[in-house]
Amino acid sequence: MSAKTASASAAPSATASATATAAAPRRTLNFGAGPAVLPRTVLERVQAEMLDYAGTGCSLLELSHRSAEFMGLLARASADLRALMGVPANYRILFMQGGATSQFSAVVYNLAVDLAAPHDYIVTGGWSEKAAQEARRLGANVNTVFSTKATGHDGRIPPRSEWRLSADAAYVYYCDNETVHGVEMPGDFVEQLPAGVPVVCDMSSNFLSRPVDVSKYGVIYGGAQKNVGPAGVTLVIVREDLIGTRTAPGLVVPVMLDYKTCAENDSLYNTPPTFAIYVSGLVFEWLRAQGGVEAISGVNARKARLVYDVIAGHADTYRCTVAGDGVRSRMNVTFRVLAGGAPSAERERAFVAGAEQRGMIQLAGHRSVGGIRASLYNALDEAAAAALAAYMREFAAAPAR
């Protein structure tokens, strides 16, 4: 064979090359709890702007955080988030670092007033439990209002008469959606907490998934990597009168956890996670184009119902890990796969393997609890939830092996 012939044989045909170029990249159905799925249109825009952001001739990854382009980007992201959530004028929006876990400490440093005062924590899962543990580690007098640990954090909330709320608490803390255990507090839960005590809420995994009356809270925070953007930036919404006014005597706030420092420097005290903020801003634009939080809330309810209906309709194969329907998360649907009426790790492995063969990934439950977890965040469309529901019915109908 001549060199010319060999070269022609090795090279792809013009038709094949054109087909490969035209074909869209394969996208799996990503049910991961975080870092989670992002809107395809956002990813495509990131791709298009990667080498040249806003005509600067360089990537956003390379731009100074003090540049006019980034400053404008940050201002737009903040304004869009304020519009999406209806954030009142007397609240500041901060873009911080360290993930939601860093806020376990930041809340104590910024709001403790007096470490000996009660610090009320409502424990409904692993993340609120970790937050309470960190507060204790920092010397706060933690009062557990109630804990669902005894029932495996299965969402069974005790009667209001059994809650141990403190009238003089520095704050009352809860996690709105427990990602690991699949427990989501009712939308009106904040109404049951004492007036006059600042409410601190971790909304990491249901941020922007349903309407929220921000004025009912002192602090709302969330890591971005669920519903907002890539890992690296933490969103904090804090009422202005709480900034720099409540640090306990003798407690020195680390500068990177100080709400006052962050607010006074417009989130630019040091180099912020510029790329994560950029992508988050694009997600805010995408969400506004979908009709905002009200519209996406309806979509999320429908997605969750598709999956929960299959669980309810195939009780011999699936069991929801959350006891009460009113606290079952729309964001993280957690369930067990059964064999002979009991959870079966073997069948769960088979379920996950079958899902992966169908292009559905990250359905295994958190390592601490096992089982199955389907995360249905904003960017996961209804077709993906429907595909999962169809596979669940197919799996339930097939004979167990």
Side-chain angles (χ1 to χ4, degrees):
M1 184 185 300
S2 69
K4 181 177 181 180
T5 304
S7 176
S9 300
S13 68
T15 302
S17 297
T19 301
T21 301
R26 177 176 176 269
R27 290 283 289 168
T28 58
L29 302 182
N30 184 355
F31 294 93
V37 62
L38 287 164
R40 185 184 181 93
T41 55
V42 167
L43 293 174
E44 289 171 344
R45 183 164 168 189
V46 171
Q47 182 184 49
E49 295 181 341
M50 180 58 71
L51 297 181
D52 182 4
Y53 176 74
T56 60
C58 63
S59 172
L60 186 281
L61 290 165
E62 303 166 309
L63 277 179
S64 167
H65 60 295
R66 308 290 183 189
S67 67
E69 290 79 11
F70 182 77
M71 298 282 278
L73 177 162
L74 183 64
R76 287 193 300 275
S78 183
D80 282 344
L81 179 57
R82 190 174 291 275
L84 282 165
M85 293 189 69
V87 178
N90 63 324
Y91 283 73
R92 294 296 300 270
I93 294 173
L94 311 178
F95 294 85
M96 300 184 73
Q97 301 180 56
T101 302
S102 67
Q103 294 302 312
F104 298 168
S105 305
V107 165
V108 177
Y109 281 121
N110 287 278
L111 302 183
V113 184
D114 180 351
L115 289 174
H119 293 62
D120 283 4
Y121 279 76
I122 294 168
V123 178
T124 54
W127 294 116
S128 49
E129 188 173 8
K130 287 178 183 294
Q133 289 170 351
E134 178 65 1
R136 285 194 190 93
R137 195 184 72 83
L138 293 176
N141 174 22
V142 171
N143 168 54
T144 302
V145 177
F146 67 79
S147 173
T148 60
K149 188 172 184 177
T151 60
H153 297 311
D154 66 356
R156 279 183 274 178
I157 308 300
R160 181 68 168 72
S161 59
E162 296 179 13
W163 298 8
R164 298 175 57 247
L165 287 160
S166 309
D168 58 343
Y171 55 81
V172 57
Y173 179 106
Y174 74 99
C175 180
D176 210 32
N177 186 79
E178 290 282 2
T179 322
V180 173
H181 294 90
V183 174
E184 185 172 30
M185 304 307 284
D188 62 351
F189 182 76
V190 69
E191 304 286 351
Q192 302 180 55
L193 303 178
V197 175
V199 176
V200 178
C201 190
D202 176 358
M203 292 190 183
S204 292
S205 50
N206 64 351
F207 202 88
L208 291 173
S209 70
R210 64 182 181 184
V212 170
D213 184 351
V214 175
S215 69
K216 302 291 185 183
Y217 298 85
V219 178
I220 293 171
Y221 72 82
Q225 68 273 15
K226 317 288 188 179
N227 270 325
V228 177
V233 64
T234 304
L235 305 173
V236 179
I237 302 171
V238 54
R239 204 172 67 221
E240 287 182 339
D241 66 294
L242 300 177
I243 297 175
T245 62
R246 298 174 64 87
T247 300
L251 194 62
V252 179
V253 185
V255 68
M256 291 304 296
L257 297 179
D258 190 350
Y259 294 160
K260 186 173 186 288
T261 298
C262 190
E264 288 179 346
N265 290 275
D266 294 325
S267 302
L268 295 171
Y269 176 76
N270 74 327
T271 306
T274 56
F275 186 75
I277 293 171
Y278 157 65
V279 179
S280 298
L282 296 183
V283 172
F284 298 154
E285 291 180 16
W286 171 83
L287 185 53
R288 295 191 73 176
Q290 307 309 302
V293 176
E294 286 277 0
I296 208 71
S297 179
V299 174
N300 289 333
R302 293 194 296 272
K303 290 186 300 188
R305 185 47 51 199
L306 283 169
V307 180
Y308 282 119
D309 281 352
V310 176
I311 296 171
H314 296 82
D316 55 340
T317 304
Y318 306 114
R319 179 185 300 159
C320 185
T321 61
V322 181
D325 185 63
V327 291
R328 288 178 178 168
S329 174
R330 301 156 306 121
M331 296 285 97
N332 311 102
V333 180
T334 55
F335 59 95
R336 303 304 302 257
V337 181
L338 311 178
S344 167
E346 182 179 355
R347 290 211 77 198
E348 286 166 354
R349 286 192 292 270
F351 179 91
V352 170
E356 289 175 348
Q357 290 170 5
R358 291 159 176 79
M360 304 178 197
I361 64 170
Q362 300 199 73
L363 279 162
H366 191 271
R367 62 187 180 278
S368 65
V369 296
I372 306 297
R373 174 174 57 179
S375 295
L376 310 177
Y377 297 128
N378 285 355
L380 189 87
D381 61 24
E382 290 184 73
L388 174 61
Y391 167 60
M392 291 173 65
R393 288 191 291 269
E394 177 189 342
F395 185 89
R401 293 183 180 180

